[in-house]
Amino acid sequence: ELYVDALRVIERDYWNEELCLTRVARQIATSRRQLQRSFSEVGGTSFRRELQRIRMSRAADLLHDGRLSVQEVAAAVGYRQAAQFAKAFRRSHGAPPSAFRRSNGRLAA
C-alpha cells in the first residue's frame, strides 16, 4: 500500500523539481526507510528510478505532442536546466529530445 500511495504522489507531483523521498514519505505518513524498503521490495526499484521513469514517460508524451519547446518540456517535467534534461532523456530513450520529436516518438527506448 505504501508503494501504491507513493506512486500516486509521484504521478501527481512529478513536475516539481523539489520532489524527494522525504517529502513523499511525509505526505503518506511513513518514514523514509519504510518507503525505500517498499520501493525495493514491492516495486523492485528505487524512488529515484521511478521518479525518473515517470518524468521521462511524460516528457516523451509532451515531445510527441509537439506544442512545447524542449526547454518548456524540461521545465514541465521538473528540470531547471534543459541540458540536464536532454542528458537524462538521451539516457532513457536513446536519443536527444529533438531527435525523438523529429522521429515522431518512434525511436527504440
Side-chain angles (χ1 to χ4, degrees):
E1 192 174 314
L2 289 177
Y3 178 72
V4 172
D5 290 345
L7 284 181
R8 283 191 196 115
V9 172
I10 294 170
E11 288 170 358
R12 183 190 70 214
D13 296 339
Y14 68 89
W15 55 268
N16 185 340
E17 64 193 42
E18 295 177 14
L19 188 64
C20 65
L21 183 70
T22 301
R23 280 184 180 217
V24 174
R26 264 191 239 129
Q27 286 185 35
I28 62 173
T30 192
S31 70
R32 280 178 48 94
R33 184 65 194 123
Q34 279 295 105
L35 189 52
Q36 285 173 324
R37 197 172 299 130
S38 179
F39 270 96
S40 178
E41 293 173 4
V42 177
T45 189
S46 69
F47 171 80
R48 272 188 114 125
R49 274 187 247 138
E50 194 59 26
L51 175 59
Q52 182 81 351
R53 184 192 66 76
I54 290 169
R55 283 179 170 169
M56 292 300 108
S57 175
R58 182 64 180 136
D61 293 343
L62 292 170
L63 288 165
H64 183 70
D65 180 353
R67 286 186 259 175
L68 300 177
S69 70
V70 171
Q71 180 104 18
E72 291 168 323
V73 170
V77 298
Y79 285 84
R80 276 185 235 181
Q81 302 292 325
Q84 182 185 19
F85 163 72
K87 184 177 181 180
F89 191 88
R90 187 178 308 114
R91 229 179 293 127
S92 174
H93 291 280
S98 54
F100 182 86
R101 173 178 277 155
R102 282 193 305 272
S103 74
N104 211 10
R106 291 192 186 104
L107 296 173

